[in-house]
Amino acid sequence: MDKTLVCKDCGSEFIFSEQEQAFYAEKGFQNEPARCLPCRKARKQQSGNRGNAGRSGGDRQYYTVNCSSCGAETQVPFKPTGVRPVYCRDCYTNSR
């Protein structure tokens, strides 16, 4: 049976359908959703903008280094520590 819940962000009522309840049970979720769909989407978008720059396509910091194999200048999306070699795209592809 469908349940009517109240969104903790906007205070509006929303339906927690029987199908959604079955999905939550299948996934092993212990709690019912606390937010309506629009608030869940807005919250997900906000959290995506904070720390998932690589996944969301946001601004990502690149570091300029010299390739350990050919010596060409390249940029990498991580800060090299100097412990492991860093390769340009071509050398990395060829080494695989």
Side-chain angles (χ1 to χ4, degrees):
M1 176 165 34
D2 292 349
K3 291 183 180 181
T4 302
L5 303 176
V6 178
C7 177
K8 77 180 208 177
D9 284 351
C10 69
S12 66
E13 291 185 348
F14 65 97
I15 302 296
F16 185 38
S17 72
E18 199 170 334
Q19 291 172 327
E20 289 175 308
Q21 292 174 45
F23 174 79
Y24 271 55
E26 179 183 313
K27 294 293 182 181
F29 298 150
Q30 299 292 319
N31 302 316
E32 296 175 339
R35 294 175 180 84
C36 63
L37 186 59
C39 289
R40 280 187 275 176
K41 286 183 178 180
R43 186 171 169 91
K44 187 174 184 178
Q45 185 176 15
Q46 285 175 345
S47 66
N49 291 339
R50 271 192 292 229
N52 298 327
R55 285 189 240 162
S56 66
D59 295 333
R60 189 172 203 177
Q61 184 174 4
Y62 284 85
Y63 298 88
T64 302
V65 295
N66 291 325
C67 175
S68 296
S69 181
C70 70
E73 190 173 279
T74 189
Q75 290 190 330
V76 292
F78 58 89
K79 187 173 184 177
T81 60
V83 175
R84 302 176 110 194
V86 178
Y87 301 108
C88 66
R89 181 173 301 223
D90 292 335
C91 291
Y92 179 75
T93 303
N94 292 336
S95 70
R96 294 183 90 191

